[in-house]
Amino acid sequence: MALLRRPLLLLLLIVTHQFLQFRIAFGSVNEEGQKQEEFYEELLLKPLPDRKLLTHFHFQSSAPPSTSNGRHHHLFPKAISQLVLKFQVKEMELSFTQGRWNYESWGGFDPIPSSNAKPPGVELWAVFDAPQHLIDALWKNLTHTLSGLFCASINFLESSTAYSAPEWSFPPASGKLRYGTLPREAVCTENLTPWLKLLPCRDKAGISMLLDRPSIYRGFYHSQRLHLTSTGSGSEGMDPGIILEQTLTVVLQPDSQRASLAHASEKHIQPSWSLSSIFGKQISGRCVLAETSNVYFLLDMGLVAELEHIHKENEKSEEYVLISEKFWNNPSFELSAKPDRIFIEESSLLSKNASVLYKFEIEKYGESEPFDLGLFWKTPVVWLCQQAPLHANRFLMGSGNERGAIAISLKSTQSSEGFMGSNSNDERCELRVDVFQVVPWYVKVYFHSLQVFVDQQPKAVSDIIEKIHVSPSKDKVSPGVMELVLTLPCSVSSAVLTIEFDKGFLHIDEYPPDANQGFDIPSAIVSFPDFHARMVFLENDSLNKSPLLSKFQEKSPVMSYTEVLLVPLTTPDFSMPYNVITITCTVFALYFGSLLNALRRRVAEEERFLKDKAAKKMDRIPLLLSKLSAKLRGRHLEGPQAPPASSSFINSKSVLKVILIAGLAVYWQYYFS
């Protein structure tokens, strides 16, 4: 009986422990009436026009203000909470990006590129809730903490030459903002693993199971982002509330073998795909600690308009609605799973068409029936993504290692007319563009050389630039910062800004190991404050529990990043010190070796030693014969003769050698001095 009671007791303890754990995790209100921590996981899938697929993972953890929990959390990562409290961070964003977002093919106006398209390398900005004189010290400590937390070289941003303080052009700009980038920072799994450890289920359950390393890093674009916001002041003994948003945006190329076999003659056929073919895994259920776990499939308005046009041409009927009862099995494409909800974007002034969003709830699936969404295209489809008003590019001009110029080119995407409506042809209609650019101190920019060309015609700077803020660089102290507000006519076709610079010289200790590759100028930020990327869907009551869709409804300014410039600087011959050290050591070795050899040699002793050695080698018979002949002659046997009196400690040859080597050494020293 005792043996039977032990398993029952252990089982009872395990069930009780799990029950208490789930009660703590899922409890929405505690005994004091305070809201508990929450966690959401979501995934957005969106086909792109250039036969690629956009996958956007969105995880959100929230810790409300609390007086009872203190520094202890059930779901929220403790490391982030300690970071916010210790360094008084009000808002912060950190991104690791590999590749560059293709604004022409993948769009630049919807919320994903405006908020999640980041420059290559590492970008970090933070707003502090502290006195002004403490911000620089808090920034340096924050960079070291993040460097250890994410296993990266973020601590290089501690130097005053690596970060800046934007005044007003950067979107969350304020007097307490610090901004820094590392364009050459490599992104690898060592950065992704600490990022996943901040999730309650990591990559063991839920949507995060799809985060297969080889699948992610073979994509064309990969950006992992961490954004946190402090929602409380933390006064009166209350810890501030924190909202942590983790996003991973990946652009992948699906396997197009099935599409090529089915439509070998079609050039514009989109590749068919499934979650298992892209990531090599399926979703076998949601994370048990998540409030909601959803997967969304988005068809943007350009694709919806093209599908409707194709159907009208084939069926010769105008009564076609994409979201009919059998929308997942229509003449254009087929979905492998039936959606749970359908959302239609509210009509806007930009287009008569609206985006369509399909929602799949993961809580219905499990290990016995995993979720594996698949899309199979039946007909070729060609469409364009929504573009920003102007497409920004940046490049270098000039040649040589002394001077050059930076040019920022803005070209119209023919979208400003739709944004401005009928006022686009009005002479008073203006398009506002903000430009923020940071230049390292060794690129000495002449801000007075700024020139503006509108539609290939030179314009006065005062006519185009409404507002400007310039912070010149200081050698080895701080970078140069330029903030501009441009007012262009709505009918503008192109605009170019040029500014000249000189290339500085660095100390040999300031060159990186790969100095011959060149030096990076961080990406410039071009934003359009009059335009906001926003997607508002109907049935808003059901979106209250979806942080991703709630984020889409927020008005975020349209923003784009330019290319990273590679500036070649004058670099010394790094092999020259090695050559000098080698030849100097060789000369000194020859000099001291010959000198010591001449000084330590004793010529008389060497001759006596040789004679003694030769005498010992003589046989006994010749020695006896020589003694016998000496007795017969009546003479004594002569022994080894003593050295001549004229021989000295050092013979004349040795003296000449010493004098010659000493003369060479004096001449060498005089010549190189």
Side-chain angles (χ1 to χ4, degrees):
M1 294 298 292
L3 295 176
L4 294 176
R5 291 176 182 176
R6 289 181 180 178
L8 294 176
L9 182 60
L10 291 175
L11 181 61
L12 181 62
L13 291 175
I14 292 174
V15 172
T16 306
H17 176 71
Q18 294 293 333
F19 175 75
L20 293 175
Q21 233 182 5
F22 286 130
R23 184 178 179 182
I24 292 174
F26 290 109
S28 59
V29 179
N30 59 9
E31 296 178 357
E32 298 179 1
Q34 295 179 347
K35 190 176 180 181
Q36 287 292 327
E37 302 171 4
E38 295 177 342
F39 172 70
Y40 301 88
E41 59 174 3
E42 294 169 297
L43 170 62
L44 177 69
L45 303 172
K46 177 185 175 182
L48 298 175
D50 58 347
R51 301 169 55 86
K52 296 181 179 60
L53 176 67
L54 171 65
T55 59
H56 179 70
F57 295 85
H58 186 275
F59 306 95
Q60 179 171 311
S61 304
S62 61
S66 174
T67 55
S68 61
N69 291 339
R71 298 184 180 180
H72 301 283
H73 300 278
H74 302 293
L75 297 177
F76 197 84
K78 183 179 179 181
I80 300 299
S81 175
Q82 292 177 342
L83 183 143
V84 172
L85 294 175
K86 185 174 183 179
F87 303 118
Q88 305 179 37
V89 179
K90 184 177 181 181
E91 188 176 2
M92 187 195 77
E93 183 174 288
L94 173 65
S95 64
F96 297 86
T97 307
Q98 181 180 5
R100 184 175 180 267
W101 183 268
N102 190 346
Y103 290 95
E104 294 181 349
S105 300
W106 304 341
F109 196 83
D110 54 276
I112 293 180
S114 297
S115 302
N116 299 278
K118 296 300 176 181
V122 170
E123 182 191 44
L124 172 65
W125 60 264
V127 181
F128 299 91
D129 188 12
Q132 191 71 29
H133 65 279
L134 297 177
I135 292 179
D136 290 334
L138 292 174
W139 168 266
K140 293 180 181 180
N141 294 331
L142 176 65
T143 57
H144 280 271
T145 303
L146 294 175
S147 179
L149 184 61
F150 290 98
C151 192
S153 303
I154 309 176
N155 58 313
F156 287 168
L157 294 175
E158 70 164 349
S159 175
S160 59
T161 61
Y163 68 89
S164 59
E167 293 292 335
W168 38 263
S169 62
F170 198 74
S174 64
K176 299 180 179 180
L177 171 70
R178 295 295 180 268
Y179 174 86
T181 59
L182 295 173
R184 199 172 294 189
E185 180 70 15
V187 183
C188 61
T189 56
E190 293 181 354
N191 310 125
L192 181 61
T193 301
W195 186 84
L196 290 173
K197 289 183 179 179
L198 301 178
L199 303 176
C201 295
R202 299 190 179 183
D203 57 347
K204 306 300 181 183
I207 294 177
S208 58
M209 293 179 62
L210 298 177
L211 298 179
D212 180 54
R213 277 37 167 208
S215 302
I216 292 175
Y217 287 101
R218 72 164 178 258
F220 291 85
Y221 176 83
H222 158 258
S223 178
Q224 63 182 61
R225 171 175 162 267
L226 181 141
H227 182 274
L228 62 89
T229 306
S230 179
T231 59
S233 60
S235 59
E236 299 180 359
M238 178 177 290
D239 293 335
I242 307 172
I243 297 178
L244 175 63
E245 179 185 352
Q246 295 177 249
T247 62
L248 179 63
T249 306
V250 186
V251 177
L252 300 171
Q253 176 67 63
D255 186 8
S256 58
Q257 292 182 357
R258 183 179 177 185
S260 61
L261 293 175
H263 302 272
S265 61
E266 297 292 348
K267 186 168 59 175
H268 302 291
I269 186 68
Q270 289 290 322
S272 302
W273 52 265
S274 63
L275 292 179
S276 58
S277 64
I278 295 174
F279 298 103
K281 296 182 180 179
Q282 301 175 350
I283 304 177
S284 59
R286 69 182 185 93
C287 175
V288 295
L289 300 177
E291 296 288 333
T292 58
S293 180
N294 301 321
V295 174
Y296 299 96
F297 178 69
L298 177 64
L299 300 178
D300 59 7
M301 60 177 61
L303 178 57
V304 172
E306 183 64 23
L307 293 177
E308 291 184 354
H309 178 70
I310 293 174
H311 184 77
K312 289 178 182 178
E313 288 185 349
N314 296 336
E315 300 294 334
K316 306 298 183 182
S317 174
E318 297 182 359
E319 298 179 357
Y320 171 73
V321 181
L322 186 66
I323 55 171
S324 61
E325 294 182 358
K326 296 184 178 181
F327 59 89
W328 60 88
N329 186 10
N330 60 67
S332 300
F333 66 91
E334 178 182 356
L335 293 174
S336 62
K338 180 180 179 180
D340 299 301
R341 297 290 299 274
I342 313 166
F343 301 106
I344 311 172
E345 184 185 6
E346 292 184 356
S347 60
S348 60
L349 299 177
L350 304 180
S351 175
K352 297 180 181 180
N353 303 99
S355 303
V356 179
L357 186 70
Y358 306 143
K359 178 182 178 181
F360 302 88
E361 298 178 358
I362 305 301
E363 60 184 7
K364 297 182 178 180
Y365 300 89
E367 295 183 357
S368 59
E369 185 184 357
F371 178 75
D372 186 15
L373 179 63
L375 174 65
F376 177 70
W377 292 95
K378 301 179 181 179
T379 58
V381 182
V382 180
W383 78 97
L384 296 176
C385 289
Q386 200 171 357
Q387 301 291 329
L390 298 176
H391 182 66
N393 289 104
R394 190 178 60 163
F395 51 89
L396 290 175
M397 298 190 305
S399 60
N401 291 329
E402 184 180 2
R403 297 178 181 176
I406 300 175
I408 299 178
S409 174
L410 304 173
K411 294 184 179 180
S412 176
T413 58
Q414 304 298 330
S415 301
S416 58
E417 298 180 0
F419 293 132
M420 295 299 181
S422 60
N423 297 327
S424 60
N425 297 324
D426 191 357
E427 295 181 356
R428 295 175 297 176
C429 178
E430 294 180 345
L431 176 63
R432 180 180 173 183
V433 181
D434 292 351
V435 179
F436 171 70
Q437 182 171 248
V438 179
V439 181
W441 66 267
Y442 45 79
V443 178
K444 305 180 185 302
V445 178
Y446 297 108
F447 294 100
H448 70 277
S449 63
L450 179 64
Q451 296 181 355
V452 181
F453 300 87
V454 178
D455 294 334
Q456 300 180 358
Q457 298 296 327
K459 299 290 183 179
V461 175
S462 58
D463 296 340
I464 303 299
I465 298 180
E466 178 183 349
K467 189 177 180 181
I468 183 173
H469 173 261
V470 170
S471 177
S473 62
K474 298 180 181 179
D475 289 351
K476 305 180 182 181
V477 176
S478 62
V481 181
M482 182 178 65
E483 301 175 78
L484 301 175
V485 175
L486 308 178
T487 54
L488 302 173
C490 296
S491 59
V492 64
S493 176
S494 64
V496 179
L497 283 77
T498 63
I499 188 168
E500 299 178 359
F501 65 87
D502 281 349
K503 301 177 182 180
F505 293 93
L506 302 179
H507 191 268
I508 190 171
D509 296 336
E510 297 172 345
Y511 286 95
D514 52 350
N516 292 316
Q517 179 182 351
F519 294 79
D520 296 309
I521 297 181
S523 300
I525 303 176
V526 179
S527 58
F528 307 92
D530 296 335
F531 305 97
H532 297 86
R534 187 184 183 190
M535 297 179 68
V536 180
F537 294 93
L538 299 177
E539 304 182 20
N540 294 332
D541 295 336
S542 62
L543 304 180
N544 294 331
K545 293 184 179 181
S546 175
L548 177 61
L549 301 185
S550 300
K551 197 73 176 179
F552 284 176
Q553 294 184 10
E554 297 179 0
K555 289 185 177 181
S556 57
V558 177
M559 182 188 305
S560 61
Y561 290 85
T562 63
E563 299 87 348
V564 176
L565 298 181
L566 190 64
V567 181
L569 295 183
T570 303
T571 56
D573 183 8
F574 291 102
S575 64
M576 182 178 62
Y578 171 77
N579 298 334
V580 172
I581 292 172
T582 303
I583 190 172
T584 304
C585 293
T586 304
V587 170
F588 272 92
L590 292 175
Y591 169 71
F592 283 105
S594 302
L595 181 62
L596 292 176
N597 186 27
L599 292 176
R600 291 180 58 86
R601 178 179 296 175
R602 291 183 174 89
V603 180
E605 290 186 0
E606 288 184 359
E607 292 178 356
R608 189 166 50 249
F609 174 75
L610 293 175
K611 289 182 179 181
D612 293 341
K613 189 175 182 181
K616 290 181 180 179
K617 290 183 178 180
M618 294 176 62
D619 296 334
R620 294 182 179 181
I621 296 176
L623 182 60
L624 293 176
L625 292 175
S626 61
K627 287 183 178 182
L628 181 60
S629 62
K631 285 183 178 182
L632 293 175
R633 294 177 183 179
R635 298 178 181 180
H636 296 285
L637 182 64
E638 296 180 358
Q641 297 180 357
S646 60
S647 61
S648 59
F649 182 72
I650 302 176
N651 59 5
S652 59
K653 293 183 179 180
S654 300
V655 174
L656 290 176
K657 288 182 180 180
V658 172
I659 294 174
L660 180 60
I661 294 173
L664 289 174
V666 172
Y667 175 75
W668 181 275
Q669 183 68 22
Y670 174 77
Y671 177 77
F672 282 97
S673 63

